[in-house]
Amino acid sequence: MIDSYKHKGLRKQLVETIKKKGITDESVLLAIEKIPRHFFLDSTFQNHAYEDKAFPIGAGQTISQPYTVAFQTELLQIKKRDKVLEVGTGSGYQACVLLEMGAIVYTIERQKNLYMSTKSFLPTISYQPKMFFGDGYKGLPAFAPFDKIIVTAGAPDIPELLVEQLKPGGIMVIPVGTNGIQQMISITKTKTGEVIKREHGTFRFVPLLENKADDK
Ligand code: SAH
């Protein structure tokens, strides 16, 4: 796969687009400028990789719209060495944005095919998050607590187990809602363990499925 000057130019334009939409965190913008998003898409969609749109990645799932990736990541206020849990690995693009920002990334996916293909693909472009196959609704208790948690599928509610796996002082970002439309919610756990929720507008995600690890 080639990352040409044309691709780099298109990425710069994409960064300008998401800046205009309100993203200001320089480290998020730099990560998006650096990562070749066209590598994460099927050949059918490669020419569209730098449009600010979501695209199918197989198994009925999607790679999130770049603006949505940037918006969720900005809310996380990532610092270098933050230990981050991502629920919904999908194509691996969001995980790479977090890695590029210096986070230590644990990511979990419930679709076996997607898990397998992303697990073999990411090292070929030198990104190595810690990848897990399973039900992210339950988090990763063996590796908790996390500084930050990001859920990249629409959750029917806020999974209590995920809130428990957040460090005091930590932030979780999760789209919550059913019927294909969700409210973006940030959850901050104070040093004393109090939980503060804030709403950040509506988005559309594929659903977060509970109690299923699909090994088809
Ligand atoms: N972050 C991804 C976007 C993935 S779309 C990217 O950058 O490409 C959401 C993903 O969440 C899908 O791959 C879906 O299979 C997965 N998912 C849904 N419910 C899940 C669950 N309970 N545990 C883990 N992954 C889940």
Side-chain angles (χ1 to χ4, degrees), residues 7-71:
H7 292 124
K8 291 188 172 97
L10 289 170
R11 276 208 294 286
K12 274 199 197 308
Q13 284 172 24
L14 173 63
V15 166
E16 287 310 311
T17 304
I18 61 179
K19 258 190 186 171
K20 284 202 189 95
K21 291 183 179 176
I23 303 299
T24 57
D25 185 329
E26 278 299 326
S27 58
V28 175
L29 295 168
L30 276 173
I32 289 178
E33 187 166 339
K34 179 138 185 231
I35 302 170
R37 187 173 186 252
H38 61 288
F39 288 0
F40 295 75
L41 295 176
D42 279 1
S43 50
T44 340
F45 300 106
Q46 290 229 338
N47 291 337
H48 303 281
Y50 298 109
E51 291 168 19
D52 190 20
K53 288 182 185 160
F55 288 104
I57 52 171
Q61 306 305 323
T62 55
I63 178 171
S64 302
Q65 183 182 344
Y67 171 71
T68 305
V69 172
F71 189 85

Side-chain angles (χ1 to χ4, degrees), residues 165-176:
Q165 290 172 39
L166 197 59
K167 276 187 198 171
I171 302 173
M172 168 154 102
V173 175
I174 177 167
V176 181

Side-chain angles (χ1 to χ4, degrees), residues 1 18 21 26 34 36 38 42 45 54 58 63-64 72 79 106 110 112 115 123-124 137 140 146 164-165 170 182 186:
M1 275 186 284
I18 61 179
K21 291 183 179 176
E26 278 299 326
K34 179 138 185 231
H38 61 288
D42 279 1
F45 300 106
I63 178 171
S64 302
Q72 285 197 280
K79 293 196 283 294
Y106 294 71
R110 62 166 288 278
K112 191 70 172 266
Y115 163 78
T124 68
Y137 197 91
L140 277 178
F146 298 94
E164 279 172 21
Q165 290 172 39
Q182 298 89 23
S186 69

